[in-house]
């Protein structure tokens, strides 16, 4: 505090201010000091406002308390009237000014630049990148949405009925050999639960819940009892597709698959269907695409065949309609199921599936 304020720490007698004029002059001095403190208050700084209020109105050590103690109390009865009146006026003024300043500080403090020093260097936040699997899923979803498919998801824990039986894979069917999986350990007598080996169970759930037309894709995680290596993982991702309606023929199937392949791998890409087998499609096919490395001429990527195997698909086997109460004479459709990791590996030229799961930022940062 400057000399001007120090006066409130001394009595009027010491200050030699006995007359009403001298007393008024001292109060004017104090008031001027308050004004300069108020004028210097930084806008929007509530902390500085609080400090100013405490300096003036603080009960223990505020200036006004000191004036009461040092000027008013020891004053003579005649002086007391003058001092008391001036002190009341000063107090009212201080309080009112502080109220106004507080409102101003709060209003400024709510503004976008409050408390911000624009001359400081900015804080650079490290932004993550979308995982290459997420990016691939997004792209696959975009393509199928654009031709009228909607996206649904389903449970990763399934009953054998949805994962196998209703897909026309009875208990001792050899197709189960390729889909060994993890079973949930449950108290004896509980119904069996397993981790789904493919997204196909959602074909059944969806058809149970809605009548045709059905046009869905199902992205999701699936599980198999596989030993990890550069192309196998015990957990990976698939996108299932299912379209069922009246009059869906092999033509619609082929057209949809070809459209997808061209959208995903480029307009020049050719598609080939090879006969295959799945218990829940008939006929079944493996969908191949002309190799993006050599355009069909033969190279290391396609093992000199010119073709790359993409995914399994086919026309929905009428036996499946029997499980969901669809009239197999009225409705027909196609289904497909593709591995998302496989699609991503092709797209980005990744040769080890394990890289997707190791979360090494040096790998992930390459997919901005
Ligand atoms: N579910 C099959 C698999 O995981 C893929 C598939 C889906 C095949 C739909 C045909 C139709 O191998």
């Amino acid at each position: 505090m400057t000399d001007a304020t120090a006066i409130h720490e001394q009595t009027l007698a010491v200050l030699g201010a006995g007359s009403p004029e001298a007393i008024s002059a001292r109060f004017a001095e104090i008031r001027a000091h308050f004004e300069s403190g108020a004028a210097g208050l930084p806008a929007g700084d509530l902390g500085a406002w609080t400090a100013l209020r405490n300096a003036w109105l603080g009960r223990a050590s505020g200036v006004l308390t000191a004036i009461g103690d040092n000027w008013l109390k020891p004053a003579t009865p005649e002086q007391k009237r003058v001092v008391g009146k001036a002190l009341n006026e000063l107090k009212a003024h201080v309080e009112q000014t502080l109220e106004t300043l507080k409102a101003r500080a709060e209003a400024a403090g709510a503004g976008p630049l409050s408390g911000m020093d624009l001359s400081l260097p900015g804080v650079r936040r490290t932004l993550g990148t979308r995982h290459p699997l997420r990016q691939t899923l997004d792209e696959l979803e975009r393509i199928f949405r654009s031709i009228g498919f909607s996206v649904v998801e389903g449970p990763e824990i399934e009953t054998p009925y949805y994962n196998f039986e209703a897909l026309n894979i009875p208990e001792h069917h050899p197709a189960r050999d390729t889909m060994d999986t993890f079973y949930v350990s449950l108290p004896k007598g509980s119904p069996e639960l397993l981790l789904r080996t493919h997204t196909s169970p959602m074909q059944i759930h969806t058809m149970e819940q809605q009548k045709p037309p059905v046009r869905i894709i199902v992205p999701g995680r699936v599980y198999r009892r596989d030993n990890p290596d550069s192309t196998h993982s015990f957990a990976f991702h698939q996108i299932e597709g299912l379209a069922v309606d009246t009059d869906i023929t092999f033509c619609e199937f082929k057209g949809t698959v070809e459209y997808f392949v061209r959208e995903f791998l480029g307009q020049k890409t050719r598609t080939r269907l090879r006969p295959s087998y799945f218990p829940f499609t008939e006929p079944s096919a493996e969908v191949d695409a002309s190799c993006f490395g050599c355009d069909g001429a033969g190279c290391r990527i396609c093992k000199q065949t010119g073709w790359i195997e993409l995914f399994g698909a086919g026309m929905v086997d009428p036996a499946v309609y029997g499980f969901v109460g669809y009239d197999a004479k009225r409705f027909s459709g196609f289904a497909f199921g593709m591995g998302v990791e496989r699609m991503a590996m092709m797209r980005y030229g990744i040769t080890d599936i394990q890289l997707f799961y190791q979360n090494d930022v040096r790998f992930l940062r390459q997919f901005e």
Side-chain angles (χ1 to χ4, degrees):
M1 290 245 166
T2 62
D3 291 342
T5 44
I7 59 174
H8 62 262
E9 277 153 15
Q10 293 157 42
T11 61
L12 291 175
V14 171
L15 292 168
S19 68
E21 294 74 31
I23 291 169
S24 294
R26 289 317 198 180
F27 269 102
E29 241 176 88
I30 288 282
R31 185 171 166 138
H33 185 68
F34 170 73
E35 298 304 0
S36 79
L41 196 69
D45 189 342
L46 268 178
W49 178 86
T50 306
L52 184 71
R53 187 205 50 199
N54 292 345
W56 285 86
L57 297 177
R59 212 159 279 193
S61 55
V63 173
L64 295 184
T65 302
I67 291 176
D69 288 344
N70 301 327
W71 292 6
L72 189 63
K73 280 192 190 137
T76 63
E78 302 86 73
Q79 289 171 339
K80 261 200 179 118
R81 263 189 295 117
V82 184
V83 175
K85 187 162 171 274
L87 182 55
N88 281 341
E89 279 169 14
L90 177 66
K91 193 166 174 223
H93 175 72
V94 167
E95 279 172 353
Q96 213 231 303
T97 308
L98 281 168
E99 270 318 299
T100 312
L101 287 175
K102 187 181 185 195
R104 193 189 72 178
E106 280 171 347
L113 296 181
S114 65
M116 196 182 278
D117 182 348
L118 294 177
S119 67
L120 285 173
V123 179
R124 194 179 288 271
R125 288 188 206 288
T126 41
L127 267 190
T129 52
R130 276 186 313 152
H131 194 281
L133 284 179
R134 182 73 257 165
Q135 293 189 35
T136 306
L137 274 163
D138 286 349
E139 172 67 358
L140 296 171
E141 288 178 19
R142 183 194 66 76
I143 295 170
F144 284 109
R145 275 182 203 275
S146 76
I147 49 173
F149 284 75
S150 41
V151 181
V152 299
E153 289 185 39
E156 291 175 20
I157 298 176
E158 273 293 1
T159 62
Y161 177 79
Y162 285 101
N163 198 78
F164 296 123
E165 270 103 75
L167 287 161
N168 207 26
I169 316 176
E171 177 121 31
H172 297 291
H173 197 286
R176 288 211 186 184
D177 294 351
T178 59
M179 295 199 182
D180 194 8
T181 187
F182 303 93
Y183 286 78
V184 181
S185 51
L186 293 163
K188 237 186 151 66
S190 331
E192 242 182 343
L193 291 177
L194 51 78
L195 300 187
R196 66 179 177 189
T197 60
H198 49 181
T199 40
S200 302
M202 275 308 285
Q203 289 190 28
I204 307 300
H205 286 297
T206 306
M207 288 191 281
E208 277 182 348
Q209 279 160 25
Q210 74 178 78
K211 294 282 154 223
V214 170
R215 265 183 198 78
I216 53 149
I217 54 166
V218 187
R221 189 170 294 147
V222 301
Y223 302 83
R224 290 188 196 177
R225 204 218 61 80
D226 271 329
N227 291 315
D229 64 22
S230 65
T231 53
H232 292 85
S233 163
F234 50 80
F236 58 101
H237 299 78
Q238 286 190 334
I239 282 200
E240 191 81 8
L242 174 70
V244 181
D245 204 343
T246 52
D247 303 323
I248 291 194
T249 68
F250 202 86
C251 233
E252 274 77 36
F253 167 53
K254 194 159 176 273
T256 305
V257 162
E258 284 177 355
Y259 172 81
F260 163 72
V261 169
R262 281 198 304 267
E263 281 291 305
F264 190 69
L265 292 176
Q267 295 302 318
K268 285 200 336 249
T269 319
R270 280 160 291 123
T271 304
R272 175 175 86 171
L273 300 180
R274 265 183 304 120
S276 184
Y277 175 77
F278 299 101
F280 39 95
T281 47
E282 181 59 34
S284 303
E286 290 294 334
V287 177
D288 294 347
S290 53
C291 178
F292 55 90
C294 59
D295 198 22
C299 68
R300 273 179 57 203
I301 300 173
C302 58
K303 301 196 186 89
Q304 310 304 329
T305 64
W307 295 93
I308 289 180
E309 184 182 317
L310 291 186
F311 55 89
M315 302 302 290
V316 178
D317 192 311
V320 174
Y321 296 135
F323 286 97
V324 298
Y326 275 17
D327 182 350
K329 293 205 178 63
R330 271 187 71 204
F331 298 115
S332 55
F334 60 84
F336 55 85
M338 62 183 85
V340 179
E341 279 79 350
R342 190 181 171 73
M343 294 293 163
M345 287 166 83
M346 261 187 7
R347 202 182 159 86
Y348 297 116
I350 296 165
T351 50
D352 185 355
I353 197 173
Q354 302 301 330
L355 289 166
F356 289 124
Y357 316 120
Q358 288 161 350
N359 283 335
D360 184 334
V361 289
R362 292 167 302 181
F363 170 72
L364 296 175
R365 277 207 194 110
Q366 295 173 55
F367 307 93
E368 299 272 348

mmCIF file with all atom_site columns, all heavy atoms in Angstrom, residues 179 198 200 203 224 238 240 278 280-281 312-314 335-337, ligand 1:
data_model
loop_
_atom_site.group_PDB
_atom_site.id
_atom_site.type_symbol
_atom_site.label_atom_id
_atom_site.label_alt_id
_atom_site.label_comp_id
_atom_site.label_asym_id
_atom_site.label_entity_id
_atom_site.label_seq_id
_atom_site.pdbx_PDB_ins_code
_atom_site.Cartn_x
_atom_site.Cartn_y
_atom_site.Cartn_z
_atom_site.occupancy
_atom_site.B_iso_or_equiv
_atom_site.pdbx_formal_charge
_atom_site.auth_seq_id
_atom_site.auth_comp_id
_atom_site.auth_asym_id
_atom_site.auth_atom_id
_atom_site.pdbx_PDB_model_num
ATOM   1   N N   . MET A 1 179 ? -15.107 -74.313 -37.708 1.00 0.00 ? 179 MET A N   1
ATOM   2   C CA  . MET A 1 179 ? -15.620 -73.247 -36.843 1.00 0.00 ? 179 MET A CA  1
ATOM   3   C C   . MET A 1 179 ? -15.621 -73.666 -35.387 1.00 0.00 ? 179 MET A C   1
ATOM   4   O O   . MET A 1 179 ? -16.602 -73.466 -34.671 1.00 0.00 ? 179 MET A O   1
ATOM   5   C CB  . MET A 1 179 ? -17.043 -72.874 -37.262 1.00 0.00 ? 179 MET A CB  1
ATOM   6   C CG  . MET A 1 179 ? -17.098 -72.279 -38.647 1.00 0.00 ? 179 MET A CG  1
ATOM   7   S SD  . MET A 1 179 ? -18.628 -71.384 -38.881 1.00 0.00 ? 179 MET A SD  1
ATOM   8   C CE  . MET A 1 179 ? -18.467 -70.856 -40.569 1.00 0.00 ? 179 MET A CE  1
ATOM   9   N N   . HIS A 1 198 ? -19.104 -66.592 -36.704 1.00 0.00 ? 198 HIS A N   1
ATOM   10  C CA  . HIS A 1 198 ? -19.333 -65.747 -37.887 1.00 0.00 ? 198 HIS A CA  1
ATOM   11  C C   . HIS A 1 198 ? -20.499 -64.812 -37.582 1.00 0.00 ? 198 HIS A C   1
ATOM   12  O O   . HIS A 1 198 ? -21.163 -64.952 -36.539 1.00 0.00 ? 198 HIS A O   1
ATOM   13  C CB  . HIS A 1 198 ? -19.591 -66.576 -39.149 1.00 0.00 ? 198 HIS A CB  1
ATOM   14  C CG  . HIS A 1 198 ? -20.613 -67.674 -39.008 1.00 0.00 ? 198 HIS A CG  1
ATOM   15  N ND1 . HIS A 1 198 ? -20.969 -68.521 -40.013 1.00 0.00 ? 198 HIS A ND1 1
ATOM   16  C CD2 . HIS A 1 198 ? -21.368 -68.076 -37.944 1.00 0.00 ? 198 HIS A CD2 1
ATOM   17  C CE1 . HIS A 1 198 ? -21.896 -69.382 -39.602 1.00 0.00 ? 198 HIS A CE1 1
ATOM   18  N NE2 . HIS A 1 198 ? -22.144 -69.138 -38.354 1.00 0.00 ? 198 HIS A NE2 1
ATOM   19  N N   . SER A 1 200 ? -23.103 -64.661 -39.385 1.00 0.00 ? 200 SER A N   1
ATOM   20  C CA  . SER A 1 200 ? -24.310 -65.243 -40.000 1.00 0.00 ? 200 SER A CA  1
ATOM   21  C C   . SER A 1 200 ? -25.481 -65.442 -39.036 1.00 0.00 ? 200 SER A C   1
ATOM   22  O O   . SER A 1 200 ? -26.634 -65.400 -39.493 1.00 0.00 ? 200 SER A O   1
ATOM   23  C CB  . SER A 1 200 ? -23.951 -66.559 -40.692 1.00 0.00 ? 200 SER A CB  1
ATOM   24  O OG  . SER A 1 200 ? -22.959 -66.337 -41.667 1.00 0.00 ? 200 SER A OG  1
ATOM   25  N N   . GLN A 1 203 ? -28.341 -63.260 -39.594 1.00 0.00 ? 203 GLN A N   1
ATOM   26  C CA  . GLN A 1 203 ? -29.312 -63.551 -40.660 1.00 0.00 ? 203 GLN A CA  1
ATOM   27  C C   . GLN A 1 203 ? -30.579 -64.095 -40.024 1.00 0.00 ? 203 GLN A C   1
ATOM   28  O O   . GLN A 1 203 ? -31.693 -63.670 -40.342 1.00 0.00 ? 203 GLN A O   1
ATOM   29  C CB  . GLN A 1 203 ? -28.764 -64.622 -41.612 1.00 0.00 ? 203 GLN A CB  1
ATOM   30  C CG  . GLN A 1 203 ? -27.625 -64.200 -42.511 1.00 0.00 ? 203 GLN A CG  1
ATOM   31  C CD  . GLN A 1 203 ? -27.342 -65.270 -43.567 1.00 0.00 ? 203 GLN A CD  1
ATOM   32  O OE1 . GLN A 1 203 ? -28.228 -66.024 -43.960 1.00 0.00 ? 203 GLN A OE1 1
ATOM   33  N NE2 . GLN A 1 203 ? -26.095 -65.341 -44.019 1.00 0.00 ? 203 GLN A NE2 1
ATOM   34  N N   . ARG A 1 224 ? -12.797 -67.698 -33.331 1.00 0.00 ? 224 ARG A N   1
ATOM   35  C CA  . ARG A 1 224 ? -12.559 -69.097 -33.698 1.00 0.00 ? 224 ARG A CA  1
ATOM   36  C C   . ARG A 1 224 ? -11.360 -69.596 -32.943 1.00 0.00 ? 224 ARG A C   1
ATOM   37  O O   . ARG A 1 224 ? -10.462 -68.827 -32.612 1.00 0.00 ? 224 ARG A O   1
ATOM   38  C CB  . ARG A 1 224 ? -12.317 -69.241 -35.208 1.00 0.00 ? 224 ARG A CB  1
ATOM   39  C CG  . ARG A 1 224 ? -13.587 -68.991 -35.972 1.00 0.00 ? 224 ARG A CG  1
ATOM   40  C CD  . ARG A 1 224 ? -13.484 -69.287 -37.434 1.00 0.00 ? 224 ARG A CD  1
ATOM   41  N NE  . ARG A 1 224 ? -14.626 -68.636 -38.106 1.00 0.00 ? 224 ARG A NE  1
ATOM   42  C CZ  . ARG A 1 224 ? -14.841 -68.639 -39.399 1.00 0.00 ? 224 ARG A CZ  1
ATOM   43  N NH1 . ARG A 1 224 ? -14.003 -69.260 -40.202 1.00 0.00 ? 224 ARG A NH1 1
ATOM   44  N NH2 . ARG A 1 224 ? -15.894 -68.035 -39.895 1.00 0.00 ? 224 ARG A NH2 1
ATOM   45  N N   . GLN A 1 238 ? -16.059 -59.489 -39.140 1.00 0.00 ? 238 GLN A N   1
ATOM   46  C CA  . GLN A 1 238 ? -16.715 -59.814 -40.412 1.00 0.00 ? 238 GLN A CA  1
ATOM   47  C C   . GLN A 1 238 ? -17.773 -58.767 -40.715 1.00 0.00 ? 238 GLN A C   1
ATOM   48  O O   . GLN A 1 238 ? -18.234 -58.052 -39.826 1.00 0.00 ? 238 GLN A O   1
ATOM   49  C CB  . GLN A 1 238 ? -17.409 -61.180 -40.332 1.00 0.00 ? 238 GLN A CB  1
ATOM   50  C CG  . GLN A 1 238 ? -16.466 -62.355 -40.360 1.00 0.00 ? 238 GLN A CG  1
ATOM   51  C CD  . GLN A 1 238 ? -17.224 -63.678 -40.518 1.00 0.00 ? 238 GLN A CD  1
ATOM   52  O OE1 . GLN A 1 238 ? -18.385 -63.793 -40.148 1.00 0.00 ? 238 GLN A OE1 1
ATOM   53  N NE2 . GLN A 1 238 ? -16.545 -64.666 -41.077 1.00 0.00 ? 238 GLN A NE2 1
ATOM   54  N N   . GLU A 1 240 ? -21.410 -59.249 -42.536 1.00 0.00 ? 240 GLU A N   1
ATOM   55  C CA  . GLU A 1 240 ? -22.377 -60.138 -43.156 1.00 0.00 ? 240 GLU A CA  1
ATOM   56  C C   . GLU A 1 240 ? -23.292 -59.304 -44.035 1.00 0.00 ? 240 GLU A C   1
ATOM   57  O O   . GLU A 1 240 ? -23.539 -58.134 -43.730 1.00 0.00 ? 240 GLU A O   1
ATOM   58  C CB  . GLU A 1 240 ? -23.219 -60.776 -42.035 1.00 0.00 ? 240 GLU A CB  1
ATOM   59  C CG  . GLU A 1 240 ? -24.097 -61.908 -42.459 1.00 0.00 ? 240 GLU A CG  1
ATOM   60  C CD  . GLU A 1 240 ? -23.317 -63.205 -42.561 1.00 0.00 ? 240 GLU A CD  1
ATOM   61  O OE1 . GLU A 1 240 ? -22.130 -63.216 -42.141 1.00 0.00 ? 240 GLU A OE1 1
ATOM   62  O OE2 . GLU A 1 240 ? -23.876 -64.191 -43.042 1.00 0.00 ? 240 GLU A OE2 1
ATOM   63  N N   . PHE A 1 278 ? -21.373 -73.691 -48.703 1.00 0.00 ? 278 PHE A N   1
ATOM   64  C CA  . PHE A 1 278 ? -21.773 -73.327 -47.337 1.00 0.00 ? 278 PHE A CA  1
ATOM   65  C C   . PHE A 1 278 ? -23.125 -73.978 -47.082 1.00 0.00 ? 278 PHE A C   1
ATOM   66  O O   . PHE A 1 278 ? -23.967 -73.996 -47.984 1.00 0.00 ? 278 PHE A O   1
ATOM   67  C CB  . PHE A 1 278 ? -21.890 -71.805 -47.182 1.00 0.00 ? 278 PHE A CB  1
ATOM   68  C CG  . PHE A 1 278 ? -20.607 -71.068 -47.427 1.00 0.00 ? 278 PHE A CG  1
ATOM   69  C CD1 . PHE A 1 278 ? -20.382 -70.420 -48.649 1.00 0.00 ? 278 PHE A CD1 1
ATOM   70  C CD2 . PHE A 1 278 ? -19.616 -71.031 -46.463 1.00 0.00 ? 278 PHE A CD2 1
ATOM   71  C CE1 . PHE A 1 278 ? -19.180 -69.760 -48.894 1.00 0.00 ? 278 PHE A CE1 1
ATOM   72  C CE2 . PHE A 1 278 ? -18.419 -70.361 -46.691 1.00 0.00 ? 278 PHE A CE2 1
ATOM   73  C CZ  . PHE A 1 278 ? -18.198 -69.723 -47.913 1.00 0.00 ? 278 PHE A CZ  1
ATOM   74  N N   . PHE A 1 280 ? -25.638 -72.965 -45.605 1.00 0.00 ? 280 PHE A N   1
ATOM   75  C CA  . PHE A 1 280 ? -26.782 -72.044 -45.577 1.00 0.00 ? 280 PHE A CA  1
ATOM   76  C C   . PHE A 1 280 ? -26.969 -71.263 -46.875 1.00 0.00 ? 280 PHE A C   1
ATOM   77  O O   . PHE A 1 280 ? -27.785 -70.358 -46.950 1.00 0.00 ? 280 PHE A O   1
ATOM   78  C CB  . PHE A 1 280 ? -26.673 -71.083 -44.388 1.00 0.00 ? 280 PHE A CB  1
ATOM   79  C CG  . PHE A 1 280 ? -25.258 -70.617 -44.133 1.00 0.00 ? 280 PHE A CG  1
ATOM   80  C CD1 . PHE A 1 280 ? -24.812 -69.422 -44.664 1.00 0.00 ? 280 PHE A CD1 1
ATOM   81  C CD2 . PHE A 1 280 ? -24.377 -71.386 -43.372 1.00 0.00 ? 280 PHE A CD2 1
ATOM   82  C CE1 . PHE A 1 280 ? -23.509 -68.991 -44.443 1.00 0.00 ? 280 PHE A CE1 1
ATOM   83  C CE2 . PHE A 1 280 ? -23.069 -70.962 -43.159 1.00 0.00 ? 280 PHE A CE2 1
ATOM   84  C CZ  . PHE A 1 280 ? -22.635 -69.775 -43.683 1.00 0.00 ? 280 PHE A CZ  1
ATOM   85  N N   . THR A 1 281 ? -26.163 -71.580 -47.901 1.00 0.00 ? 281 THR A N   1
ATOM   86  C CA  . THR A 1 281 ? -26.390 -70.977 -49.223 1.00 0.00 ? 281 THR A CA  1
ATOM   87  C C   . THR A 1 281 ? -26.359 -72.077 -50.288 1.00 0.00 ? 281 THR A C   1
ATOM   88  O O   . THR A 1 281 ? -25.644 -73.073 -50.149 1.00 0.00 ? 281 THR A O   1
ATOM   89  C CB  . THR A 1 281 ? -25.304 -69.929 -49.572 1.00 0.00 ? 281 THR A CB  1
ATOM   90  O OG1 . THR A 1 281 ? -24.009 -70.470 -49.295 1.00 0.00 ? 281 THR A OG1 1
ATOM   91  C CG2 . THR A 1 281 ? -25.516 -68.657 -48.773 1.00 0.00 ? 281 THR A CG2 1
ATOM   92  N N   . GLY A 1 312 ? -16.894 -65.338 -49.083 1.00 0.00 ? 312 GLY A N   1
ATOM   93  C CA  . GLY A 1 312 ? -17.861 -66.383 -49.397 1.00 0.00 ? 312 GLY A CA  1
ATOM   94  C C   . GLY A 1 312 ? -19.257 -65.794 -49.507 1.00 0.00 ? 312 GLY A C   1
ATOM   95  O O   . GLY A 1 312 ? -19.583 -64.802 -48.854 1.00 0.00 ? 312 GLY A O   1
ATOM   96  N N   . ALA A 1 313 ? -20.073 -66.428 -50.357 1.00 0.00 ? 313 ALA A N   1
ATOM   97  C CA  . ALA A 1 313 ? -21.409 -65.887 -50.580 1.00 0.00 ? 313 ALA A CA  1
ATOM   98  C C   . ALA A 1 313 ? -22.284 -66.939 -51.245 1.00 0.00 ? 313 ALA A C   1
ATOM   99  O O   . ALA A 1 313 ? -21.848 -68.058 -51.499 1.00 0.00 ? 313 ALA A O   1
ATOM   100 C CB  . ALA A 1 313 ? -21.314 -64.641 -51.459 1.00 0.00 ? 313 ALA A CB  1
ATOM   101 N N   . GLY A 1 314 ? -23.512 -66.565 -51.529 1.00 0.00 ? 314 GLY A N   1
ATOM   102 C CA  . GLY A 1 314 ? -24.390 -67.480 -52.260 1.00 0.00 ? 314 GLY A CA  1
ATOM   103 C C   . GLY A 1 314 ? -25.842 -67.081 -52.119 1.00 0.00 ? 314 GLY A C   1
ATOM   104 O O   . GLY A 1 314 ? -26.187 -66.109 -51.453 1.00 0.00 ? 314 GLY A O   1
ATOM   105 N N   . ALA A 1 335 ? -26.733 -63.990 -49.684 1.00 0.00 ? 335 ALA A N   1
ATOM   106 C CA  . ALA A 1 335 ? -25.998 -63.615 -48.471 1.00 0.00 ? 335 ALA A CA  1
ATOM   107 C C   . ALA A 1 335 ? -24.513 -63.653 -48.780 1.00 0.00 ? 335 ALA A C   1
ATOM   108 O O   . ALA A 1 335 ? -24.076 -64.328 -49.716 1.00 0.00 ? 335 ALA A O   1
ATOM   109 C CB  . ALA A 1 335 ? -26.321 -64.578 -47.328 1.00 0.00 ? 335 ALA A CB  1
ATOM   110 N N   . PHE A 1 336 ? -23.775 -62.893 -48.009 1.00 0.00 ? 336 PHE A N   1
ATOM   111 C CA  . PHE A 1 336 ? -22.314 -62.952 -48.141 1.00 0.00 ? 336 PHE A CA  1
ATOM   112 C C   . PHE A 1 336 ? -21.693 -62.656 -46.786 1.00 0.00 ? 336 PHE A C   1
ATOM   113 O O   . PHE A 1 336 ? -22.346 -62.082 -45.901 1.00 0.00 ? 336 PHE A O   1
ATOM   114 C CB  . PHE A 1 336 ? -21.802 -61.963 -49.195 1.00 0.00 ? 336 PHE A CB  1
ATOM   115 C CG  . PHE A 1 336 ? -22.247 -60.543 -48.957 1.00 0.00 ? 336 PHE A CG  1
ATOM   116 C CD1 . PHE A 1 336 ? -21.537 -59.696 -48.104 1.00 0.00 ? 336 PHE A CD1 1
ATOM   117 C CD2 . PHE A 1 336 ? -23.387 -60.048 -49.586 1.00 0.00 ? 336 PHE A CD2 1
ATOM   118 C CE1 . PHE A 1 336 ? -21.957 -58.386 -47.884 1.00 0.00 ? 336 PHE A CE1 1
ATOM   119 C CE2 . PHE A 1 336 ? -23.814 -58.735 -49.374 1.00 0.00 ? 336 PHE A CE2 1
ATOM   120 C CZ  . PHE A 1 336 ? -23.100 -57.905 -48.517 1.00 0.00 ? 336 PHE A CZ  1
ATOM   121 N N   . GLY A 1 337 ? -20.462 -63.081 -46.622 1.00 0.00 ? 337 GLY A N   1
ATOM   122 C CA  . GLY A 1 337 ? -19.766 -62.808 -45.363 1.00 0.00 ? 337 GLY A CA  1
ATOM   123 C C   . GLY A 1 337 ? -18.297 -62.584 -45.638 1.00 0.00 ? 337 GLY A C   1
ATOM   124 O O   . GLY A 1 337 ? -17.626 -63.448 -46.201 1.00 0.00 ? 337 GLY A O   1
HETATM 125 N N1  . LIG B 2 .   ? -20.338 -67.228 -42.557 1.00 0.00 ? 1   LIG B N1  1
HETATM 126 C C1  . LIG B 2 .   ? -19.437 -67.692 -43.580 1.00 0.00 ? 1   LIG B C1  1
HETATM 127 C C2  . LIG B 2 .   ? -18.046 -67.820 -42.951 1.00 0.00 ? 1   LIG B C2  1
HETATM 128 O O1  . LIG B 2 .   ? -17.793 -67.222 -41.950 1.00 0.00 ? 1   LIG B O1  1
HETATM 129 C C3  . LIG B 2 .   ? -19.377 -66.714 -44.734 1.00 0.00 ? 1   LIG B C3  1
HETATM 130 C C4  . LIG B 2 .   ? -20.650 -66.645 -45.509 1.00 0.00 ? 1   LIG B C4  1
HETATM 131 C C5  . LIG B 2 .   ? -21.653 -65.779 -45.148 1.00 0.00 ? 1   LIG B C5  1
HETATM 132 C C6  . LIG B 2 .   ? -20.857 -67.443 -46.628 1.00 0.00 ? 1   LIG B C6  1
HETATM 133 C C7  . LIG B 2 .   ? -22.817 -65.693 -45.861 1.00 0.00 ? 1   LIG B C7  1
HETATM 134 C C8  . LIG B 2 .   ? -22.005 -67.392 -47.341 1.00 0.00 ? 1   LIG B C8  1
HETATM 135 C C9  . LIG B 2 .   ? -22.993 -66.503 -46.978 1.00 0.00 ? 1   LIG B C9  1
HETATM 136 O O2  . LIG B 2 .   ? -17.198 -68.520 -43.479 1.00 0.00 ? 1   LIG B O2  1
#
